[in-house]
Amino acid sequence: MKIRKVPETHIEGFKDLSINGETFEYLSPKNVYLPMQFPSPLKELKSVGDKVLMGEAVLQREGRFAIPVLSPVSGTIKGVVKRWHHSNKMMNMLEIENDFKETVVDDFKNLDPDKMDRHELVELMKSSGMVGMGGAGFPTYAKYETDKPVEEVIINFAECEPYITSDYTMVKLNPGLFIYGLKYLMKAAGTSKGVIAIKDKDINKPIIESLNKCLMDGMSIYLLHDVYPAGWEKYIVEKVTGRTYKTLPIEASAIVSNATTCVTFAKLLKYGLPPSEKYVTFVGDSIKTNGNVLCKFGTNVTELLNIFGGLEENTDRSHTNFIAGGVMTGGAMFTEDFVTSPTLGAVIVLRDKLYDKVTPHCLGCGTCALHCPVHLSPYEIKRAMKTGNIEMVKELEVNRCIQCGLCSYVCPSRIDLTTSIQMAKELVRRMG
Ligand code: SF4
Ligand code: SF4
């Protein structure tokens, strides 16, 4: 078999902007909003006017990986309203009015993870509706509910996006909880080996030193090269274990979980706190203060923006981009009036200048293909889309795109290849 190496591309980082910025907590929003149609239509478990506790199931994700969606606050179901989701889609959301009492359901009280077996820990992941907080939002239990042997749990602490420091902040402020979480993720996986995969770069040195001091038996730190996309699961698994896989890490006897997910599991086990909060990075040249805020899932971004002092004076909104998620993998929003979720890592507000308009003529340089980690030909896919040649789009294997955004980043003509490829991928998916 011919094995092609993943190209290792270094990209410029801007993490110092938020690492050296402010850290806030905003855990008492007046209302929270939970999507009722994402990633697919959810079943309503509560009616308007019902009282709910924090951690009570209010919606149900159905299908193969069914999990409940829990209320992040205690309060009352106020209604169903249309709101913007950070995938740039307007959708129905369940509005819950906070009673500010933070009354938590009994289900997660007095847990003793030392007395729980592997299956009970996985069941807890399921009943608490835990999802991966690195971006994909895949139900956590589905990774750990396996009868295949697991060699190691790998914590993905690469946080590849150049502006985002939400995982960094969560772990920096909770190193003990992070290690505690890893201990029980290892137990849930039935392995005695846990590896923290983090990029080897100056900005990470203090956190690496701090974690090194509290590692427990069977745990180690793996230093990744400072390349993009080092946070891609396939890349991490191959680097850490030397093994490869086709579809899922478990084929290579590994389970990969995100760093914030690990701390969230620890908070559930240790404090009985249901998954309900995460750090979101607010950063960019148009925000008065840069930094991170610990907030409830479903909080209005406009409220959070105010905590950071709002936008800079004289911000020209027609030349300002609100990016939900990272600059590489996120998307420009039509509005800042959207809500947070377990998978939103950042809100980035940048003036147009970073998107300097260059005449978008393809130079035929091949740089996009050279840097594509899965060895696609981005420009050819874009051209096939433009001419409506869907058969060609399929032949070019657009379905293998991991939507890393690197092709757009490296293109000297600043051609937005990623959006075209996302559209092509969605089109091919819909066509079955
Ligand atoms: S990197 Fe840009 S200019 Fe070069 S081949 Fe790809 S699309 Fe064309
Ligand atoms: S976005 Fe897709 S096509 Fe572009 S570099 Fe990443 S994997 Fe390749």
Side-chain angles (χ1 to χ4, degrees), residues 80-332:
V80 175
V81 292
K82 291 248 185 257
R83 298 298 313 263
W84 284 100
H85 183 260
H86 56 78
S87 57
N88 226 343
K89 290 189 183 109
M90 172 76 86
M91 61 179 69
N92 285 343
M93 296 208 186
L94 199 65
E95 185 179 32
I96 305 173
E97 187 171 34
N98 195 351
D99 64 10
F100 304 106
K101 292 183 184 155
E102 305 223 330
T103 321
V104 183
V105 281
D106 287 337
D107 312 29
F108 309 122
K109 283 183 183 158
N110 305 318
L111 296 171
D112 185 347
D114 286 326
K115 294 204 178 119
M116 295 168 80
D117 67 21
R118 183 184 169 185
H119 304 289
E120 288 167 323
L121 288 169
V122 175
E123 195 47 47
L124 178 66
M125 291 170 176
K126 193 173 189 175
S127 62
S128 66
M130 268 185 72
V131 293
M133 297 196 193
F138 192 66
T140 305
Y141 87 88
K143 294 182 177 182
Y144 287 80
E145 191 178 58
T146 177
D147 48 16
K148 298 206 167 70
V150 179
E151 285 286 324
E152 58 269 282
V153 169
I154 303 170
I155 299 299
N156 184 346
F157 193 9
E159 200 157 51
C160 249
E161 279 280 354
Y163 282 90
I164 304 185
T165 56
S166 60
D167 282 346
Y168 180 97
T169 307
M170 181 61 101
V171 176
K172 185 181 123 194
L173 298 178
N174 302 282
L177 269 181
F178 176 64
I179 296 296
Y180 182 88
L182 177 53
K183 176 181 170 184
Y184 293 106
L185 287 180
M186 287 156 60
K187 186 172 180 183
T191 177
S192 55
K193 202 168 162 194
V195 183
I196 301 161
I198 184 169
K199 284 189 181 177
D200 185 10
K201 55 184 187 177
D202 286 349
I203 216 157
N204 283 340
K205 287 219 157 75
I207 212 161
I208 292 169
E209 270 173 35
S210 140
L211 290 176
N212 234 332
K213 285 182 198 147
C214 42
L215 291 178
M216 291 180 175
D217 281 352
M219 296 180 188
S220 59
I221 294 176
Y222 183 91
L223 298 178
L224 298 160
H225 291 166
D226 183 12
V227 295
Y228 185 90
W232 177 31
E233 278 190 353
K234 223 171 215 176
Y235 181 89
I236 287 199
V237 169
E238 192 177 338
K239 287 287 165 192
V240 171
T241 71
R243 302 186 293 271
T244 54
Y245 65 89
K246 202 164 174 220
T247 316
L248 293 169
I250 194 65
E251 294 159 25
S253 305
I255 296 179
V256 183
S257 282
N258 153 271
T260 291
T261 313
C262 183
V263 177
T264 303
F265 193 44
K267 288 182 178 179
L268 174 66
L269 293 170
K270 205 169 172 116
Y271 306 128
L273 181 77
S276 52
E277 60 189 36
K278 76 173 290 189
Y279 279 99
V280 178
T281 305
F282 277 71
V283 68
D285 56 13
S286 298
I287 305 185
K288 276 207 176 131
T289 317
N290 287 186
N292 281 276
V293 58
L294 183 66
C295 57
K296 295 279 185 187
F297 305 155
T299 304
N300 274 315
V301 164
T302 42
E303 285 170 49
L304 297 170
L305 202 50
N306 284 338
I307 297 173
F308 290 90
L311 299 182
E312 288 284 6
E313 268 99 43
N314 307 322
T315 295
D316 176 357
R317 283 174 174 262
S318 59
H319 289 282
T320 304
N321 299 280
F322 287 88
I323 299 159
V327 286
M328 301 298 286
T329 57

